[in-house]
Amino acid sequence: MHKFMLKLARFMAATGGLVLTLLIFLTCLSITGRLLNGFFHGNLMQGMAPELAEWMIAIGVGPINGDFELVEAGVAFAIFAFLPLCQITSGHASVDILANSFSARVNRFLRMVTEIVFAGVLVLIAWRLEAGMISKLNNGETSFLLEFPVWWAYAASLVAAVVAAIVGLYMGAIRTFEFLTGRILIWDGVETEQ
């Protein structure tokens, strides 16, 4: 079961990384287009090569229309896509100033409580994201410039949030079992043997 969950989490993270990489290229192209558009509209190009400047402007050299809408939707998906891997590898930030002085049993209890709280929050987020998606679907809201249905972005994020919630529930169950039995099922570098 753990291998499957880990592969699922890695797949989601890779998908989120691919989306983020495409968004970086999109942003770079849009910024380059915006700079070139300004350059072709500038006095230098209008004075030296007005025909070239007008031709470049006419073929559409400029910022990508609606780039910020795509970035907004894509980054939301990417954030949710990275959560499962962060959850299953204990990659969340933690402050262990006091925890290092506790016994292994107390630390396992704290990890169990943390994982259960994370799982609850992830389930809550997925549930509310689903409600938001249904609301956007029913009211037909579209983005301002590209006019794509807003629920598409919600649906993509919902898929990633559901996977994060499933992984969160799985890790909550694992840490609960570890606390109750004293056996460590998943060594992740955080647990210490005492």
Side-chain angles (χ1 to χ4, degrees):
M1 179 69 140
H2 185 68
K3 285 182 181 180
F4 171 75
M5 288 292 185
L6 191 57
K7 282 182 182 181
L8 181 61
R10 285 183 175 153
F11 172 77
M12 290 304 298
T15 304
L18 176 65
V19 167
L20 210 50
T21 301
L22 293 173
L23 292 175
I24 290 168
F25 284 128
L26 172 78
T27 302
C28 290
L29 284 173
S30 188
I31 291 169
T32 302
R34 186 173 284 112
L35 290 172
L36 287 174
N37 187 275
F39 176 70
F40 290 127
H41 274 96
N43 291 336
L44 178 68
M45 283 305 290
Q46 291 294 327
M48 287 178 50
E51 295 84 18
L52 174 64
E54 292 303 320
W55 179 73
M56 292 299 276
I57 292 167
I59 64 168
V61 172
I64 296 173
N65 189 34
D67 59 343
F68 66 92
E69 293 174 350
L70 295 172
V71 168
E72 181 180 34
V75 166
F77 167 77
I79 289 169
F80 285 112
F82 293 136
L83 279 176
L85 186 61
C86 192
Q87 189 72 23
I88 203 164
T89 60
S90 298
H92 296 293
S94 65
V95 180
D96 298 332
I97 294 171
L98 291 175
N100 292 335
S101 63
F102 296 149
S103 69
R105 180 139 177 90
V106 171
N107 279 325
R108 276 195 286 276
F109 175 76
L110 291 174
R111 290 190 78 194
M112 175 190 71
V113 169
T114 303
E115 292 289 352
I116 290 170
V117 168
F118 264 124
V121 168
L122 291 170
V123 168
L124 178 66
I125 289 171
W127 171 49
R128 297 316 304 155
L129 198 53
E130 182 213 13
M133 183 199 71
I134 290 170
S135 171
K136 300 297 180 189
L137 177 64
N138 289 338
N139 72 21
E141 185 177 337
T142 60
S143 67
F144 182 67
L145 293 174
L146 297 179
E147 296 183 356
F148 68 82
V150 174
W151 73 268
W152 291 355
Y154 275 76
S157 295
L158 178 61
V159 169
V162 166
V163 172
I166 291 168
V167 170
L169 290 169
Y170 167 73
M171 289 307 295
I174 291 293
R175 298 303 177 207
T176 300
F177 179 83
E178 289 178 350
F179 172 71
L180 295 175
T181 64
R183 259 185 56 215
I184 299 171
L185 297 178
I186 300 173
W187 288 93
D188 55 14
V190 176
E191 179 70 39
T192 58
E193 216 172 356
Q194 291 179 354

